[in-house]
Amino acid sequence: MSTNAIGLQHFELKLATDLHSITFIIMHNNVVFMTGAMLTRVLLMKAVDPVLYEQQIMSLLQQLQALDATRRTYYRDIRCRFLVERAIENLDKSRELQLTGQGLTMMFHLELLPLVRTLDLSDNMLTVIRGFSLLQCLETLNLSKNQLTGCQPLKHLPRLARLDLTHNSLPSVDSLSPLRSCARLQDVYLAGNPLCQEDCAADKLRELLPGVEIHVSRDLSAGDSV
């Protein structure tokens, strides 16, 4: 192969590489512009009338998560905040907040819920919980069907009586130690957690939480309910 032919091949390869880079930059800039415009629409609709534009807001946030993987967690948090805000706006005198099956990855605005007595966060995607010490009037808490591995934030809830932790990822009996500080705790539901496979789990649980009714073979849906 002649020197000119080799040189031409190198030139064509470099040109193809440069074109690919330019195309990538253009596409990236287009995505940045598009996601920025979509996010601006979301924020404007939330400010103007979140009730009227609720469906559009949720749709745009879902699209943003698909378009911009680098900021997916950020868009999820906006979505979670919005869902919690809407639920709080609809909170009535019963002081019961229902947020079941909302795809929540984080719970927000707990500082606005000091008087809530019943909180249902079942069937979500929670891996951690924070700030629950603010819920000083909480009596019933449903955290079933999430992905929790601990319950440290549930310490010192003075009125907590019933707690559903079924179908989570609690690894051992020791992961429930924080519940010892909940003085009024009466019933804890734990079916579907790895800790239920631990040797002598029932005996260890009774020793850890004396006076508390421990349910390790069924969840609330099999009988009474939160």
Side-chain angles (χ1 to χ4, degrees), residues 26-39:
I26 292 172
M27 291 177 62
H28 175 72
N29 287 341
N30 286 341
V31 169
V32 170
F33 176 79
M34 183 166 31
T35 55
M38 292 168 67
L39 182 58

Side-chain angles (χ1 to χ4, degrees), residues 16 22 32 59 68 87 91 100 149 159 161 167 171 206 208:
I22 292 169
V32 170
S59 176
D68 189 359
L91 189 61
T100 183
T149 58
R159 299 188 182 184
H167 304 292
R206 281 192 288 269
L208 179 70

Side-chain angles (χ1 to χ4, degrees), residues 203-220:
D203 293 336
K204 291 178 181 178
L205 287 165
R206 281 192 288 269
E207 183 179 351
L208 179 70
L209 300 170
V212 178
E213 188 73 24
I214 305 294
H215 307 271
V216 295
S217 59
R218 66 185 180 92
D219 56 24
L220 290 171

Side-chain angles (χ1 to χ4, degrees), residues 93-186:
K93 294 181 180 179
S94 68
R95 293 157 63 183
E96 297 182 2
L97 187 63
Q98 300 287 331
L99 280 163
T100 183
Q102 299 294 314
L104 297 179
T105 54
M106 188 69 68
M107 181 63 186
F108 292 95
H109 299 307
L110 290 171
E111 72 279 1
L112 302 178
L113 303 172
L115 300 179
V116 163
R117 292 185 301 193
T118 298
L119 178 58
D120 189 345
L121 290 168
S122 61
D123 197 16
N124 280 292
M125 300 167 63
L126 300 171
T127 57
V128 294
I129 48 176
R130 299 188 180 97
F132 275 63
S133 60
L134 296 168
L135 306 178
Q136 291 295 291
C137 292
L138 191 64
E139 298 172 359
T140 301
L141 176 59
N142 191 340
L143 288 166
S144 64
K145 297 180 182 178
N146 280 283
Q147 302 165 27
L148 302 175
T149 58
C151 54
Q152 185 70 20
L154 302 183
K155 289 179 65 175
H156 306 302
L157 292 178
R159 299 188 182 184
L160 185 63
R162 306 185 73 200
L163 175 62
D164 188 350
L165 289 167
T166 56
H167 304 292
N168 275 280
S169 301
L170 298 167
S172 66
V173 171
D174 289 340
S175 62
L176 300 176
S177 295
L179 299 181
R180 299 180 68 177
S181 64
C182 299
R184 296 190 186 181
L185 194 59
Q186 299 174 6

